Amino acid sequence: MTASDDDDVAHKRSPKTWRRHSLRRAAIYSLEHIPFRSNRSERQGYAQPFESGANSCRSDDSVRSESALKTGFGEKPRRSRATAGAIGGPGGGAAVPVIKPLTASPMRTPNRIAQLCKDVRMISFLHLRTVSAGYGATRILHGLDLDVAQGEFVALLGASGCGKTTLLRTIAGFTPATAGSISVGGVDVTALSPDRRGMAMVFQSYALWPHMTVARNIGYGLKLRGRSRAEITRRVDEMLDMLGLAGLGERKPAALSGGQRQRVALGRALAIDPKILLLDEPLSNLDARIRVQLRGEIRALQQRLGITAIHVTHDREEAMAMADRIVILDGGNIVQQGSPQQVYNAPASSFVAAFMGAENSVRLSGRTETDLVTIEPGAANPASVVALAGRAPLNGPLEARFRAGGAALAATSGHTQQPAQGLQLTGTVLSVGYPGGAWRHRIAIGGEAVEVDAPQPFSAGETVRVFVPPENLFLFAASGAASPPNRHRPMAAA
């Protein structure tokens, strides 16, 4: 069957049958057509054929036509042979010109189609370019660029006031962008209202209607969209079963626990089948045990549905446990982004290292020689060397950062051979505590204090050696105010 014949058959299928065959059709169409790109089409909000194929490479239940963007991402696709591959713009009439199929399609094989769909998913689905936003005369975001792939879970991580919630609200449309553009699936949504962007948001405060039952809260968005009572009931029942709320549909929010309320808020967001799920610190009001349980449930649900999610949090552990990619913000700018492993093991700056748990900070002096960083002797450390290992050349004042669990502790009594590489420090134990798993020691080293874990406790006032192996040591050029303060500084030095 040729692609043209397939178009004839597809034209006769019902929307449900068409959706079942959308993966094959989208892959074949994308192989036979040259991606159409036009500044004019982008300005008018037309979707591009290649992106349209990308959105079809999803599970049958989540396939949507790009033409539904203008009605809230929720309508069934309307396609005919005349408009196959062409998407109507916001005006509702014009269609994107389709370039003629290539004369030969020798690579239409199952393996090629599978690879095509894999490549398509890597294309940016949510696209932010030089986005700025603020409140009144106060500018919060400063020309941010961000790309999120379809089905990706991205965590926005940063301290209070860094701009992460403002960025989420700008994506949702609650805070207008003062500069730049935001597009979803190739369609510019910068000027669209929140209800027309195809997104759903879960708020920190749940934002449930107190006078409505659980079922009515979950179905509220569907009611606003004019869905039938039967469809609302069916969808609400699906959400109740999916989120472990079966049997609670007639309860009011006041009769639920915190974890159950958050599930209701999540169900209300998912019920409308959004393209993008936005989560604004949804777990911060819950106790530790429920928070750990829910973050696992949300992550598993996101992976099962294949939905694109953006999660705002200030909890490093939460971000690492849930996200495919972590984006760290500081002062309204993105300072680093990457997988949890990349950001944790290779922080790009002293700020990122501190935020990812390397809060111990010691000032040193050193120089780079060939492929080694030579640390010069100081009042609390002997001379030592560390492999450059991809670090930028460092010369002059240095800042060394490491985690409490990344160092070893030993008594100064007796002879201890210094390892060939790494940092060795000498200090005095200020206090000892047991947070669980290991004894945590607070140690004064010069005018600073560091925290180091050890399997056995040392006495307060005892002089000890701290050894940090090179793989756990992060070195940066000392830059004064640019580095976060060391929260372990001794009280006497404050």
Side-chain angles (χ1 to χ4, degrees):
M1 179 183 290
T2 65
S4 298
D5 294 336
D6 194 48
D7 280 341
D8 289 330
V9 175
H11 179 58
K12 299 175 183 178
R13 293 175 182 145
S14 66
K16 183 176 181 181
T17 306
W18 180 88
R19 285 157 61 92
R20 188 180 303 122
H21 294 274
S22 60
L23 174 62
R24 177 174 175 270
R25 286 178 45 79
I28 293 174
Y29 176 78
S30 297
L31 282 170
E32 291 185 337
H33 291 69
I34 299 174
F36 179 78
R37 307 257 178 199
S38 167
N39 291 335
R40 176 176 176 272
S41 67
E42 291 176 357
R43 284 197 303 271
Q44 294 181 350
Y46 297 148
Q48 301 168 7
F50 195 64
E51 279 78 6
S52 179
N55 293 336
S56 296
C57 294
R58 300 170 60 194
S59 63
D60 289 347
D61 290 338
S62 61
V63 173
R64 293 291 185 272
S65 169
E66 288 297 337
S67 61
L69 290 171
K70 60 187 178 184
T71 57
F73 295 158
E75 301 301 322
K76 291 183 179 179
R78 296 181 180 180
R79 292 174 63 94
S80 65
R81 185 177 181 183
T83 59
I87 307 301
V96 176
V98 178
I99 296 177
K100 280 188 175 183
L102 301 177
T103 54
S105 301
M107 300 191 64
R108 191 190 306 166
T109 65
N111 289 341
R112 173 57 181 154
I113 292 174
Q115 182 61 42
L116 171 69
C117 291
K118 180 179 178 182
D119 294 342
V120 159
R121 291 189 186 98
M122 299 305 295
I123 297 174
S124 174
F125 180 59
L126 174 64
H127 187 70
L128 279 71
R129 277 297 168 265
T130 61
V131 170
S132 297
Y135 304 99
T138 305
R139 191 176 179 185
I140 306 298
L141 304 178
H142 306 279
L144 300 187
D145 292 336
L146 181 64
D147 292 288
V148 179
Q150 191 165 21
E152 187 178 18
F153 194 118
V154 173
L156 304 180
L157 182 63
S160 298
C162 70
K164 55 187 184 296
T165 295
T166 300
L167 176 56
L168 195 74
R169 291 178 62 85
T170 303
I171 293 172
F174 295 120
T175 299
T178 57
S181 63
I182 302 172
S183 62
V184 178
V187 175
D188 192 333
V189 300
T190 312
L192 296 184
S193 59
D195 61 303
R196 298 185 62 201
R197 297 192 180 199
M199 305 178 190
M201 192 163 180
V202 179
F203 297 92
Q204 180 178 356
S205 60
Y206 315 141
L208 300 177
W209 295 106
H211 65 288
M212 291 185 181
T213 63
V214 167
R216 289 182 62 195
N217 266 288
I218 292 176
Y220 186 72
L222 296 171
K223 182 179 179 181
L224 292 181
R225 284 161 173 76
R227 303 300 172 84
S228 67
R229 182 175 299 179
E231 183 179 356
I232 293 175
T233 300
R234 177 187 60 79
R235 187 62 173 161
V236 168
D237 289 342
E238 288 178 0
M239 291 296 104
L240 291 173
D241 290 339
M242 182 188 303
L243 297 170
L245 296 172
L248 303 180
E250 296 306 313
R251 289 192 185 182
K252 299 286 183 66
L256 303 176
S257 67
Q260 289 171 335
R261 292 178 193 176
Q262 195 56 274
R263 287 188 181 95
V264 174
L266 183 61
R268 179 180 59 189
L270 293 175
I272 63 173
D273 195 16
K275 290 279 187 175
I276 300 175
L277 178 65
L278 306 176
L279 304 161
D280 186 13
E281 301 195 57
L283 309 180
S284 60
N285 292 334
L286 304 176
D287 62 63
R289 183 179 64 84
I290 299 299
R291 189 162 60 242
V292 170
Q293 177 185 348
L294 269 183
R295 77 187 185 197
E297 291 178 2
I298 291 174
R299 175 56 168 160
L301 190 61
Q302 181 268 335
Q303 289 179 317
R304 184 169 54 149
L305 298 177
I307 192 171
T308 305
I310 303 177
H311 178 66
V312 163
T313 181
H314 60 270
D315 188 322
R316 175 183 73 249
E317 184 179 343
E318 182 176 298
M320 294 190 62
M322 298 178 70
D324 298 311
R325 178 158 53 103
I326 295 176
V327 178
I328 299 181
L329 286 90
D330 180 39
N333 295 291
I334 295 176
V335 293
Q336 186 174 355
Q337 57 179 306
S339 68
Q341 297 90 337
Q342 290 171 337
V343 176
Y344 187 83
N345 295 320
S349 67
S350 178
F351 174 85
V352 176
F355 207 86
M356 298 307 291
E359 296 177 336
N360 293 322
S361 175
V362 178
R363 295 299 178 114
L364 304 168
S365 182
R367 64 186 184 278
T368 300
E369 298 177 347
T370 314
D371 58 349
L372 295 174
V373 178
T374 300
I375 298 175
E376 298 174 355
N381 67 286
S384 57
V385 295
V386 177
L388 195 59
R391 298 181 176 93
L394 299 167
N395 294 285
L398 307 178
E399 181 181 10
R401 283 196 172 270
F402 58 94
R403 301 183 178 96
L409 206 56
T412 55
S413 58
H415 176 71
T416 303
Q417 184 178 1
Q418 182 177 350
Q421 289 193 15
L423 175 64
Q424 182 173 302
L425 304 164
T426 302
T428 304
V429 177
L430 297 174
S431 61
V432 186
Y434 188 75
W439 293 88
R440 180 153 296 178
H441 302 76
R442 191 163 180 263
I443 303 168
I445 299 176
E448 303 289 337
V450 300
E451 290 187 350
V452 180
D453 293 343
Q456 298 297 328
F458 289 81
S459 302
E462 187 175 354
T463 302
V464 293
R465 288 194 184 98
V466 178
F467 173 70
V468 187
E471 61 271 18
N472 296 336
L473 182 64
F474 307 110
L475 295 177
F476 306 96
S479 54
S483 299
N486 182 0
R487 69 179 182 90
H488 304 315
R489 186 181 302 276
M491 294 298 291

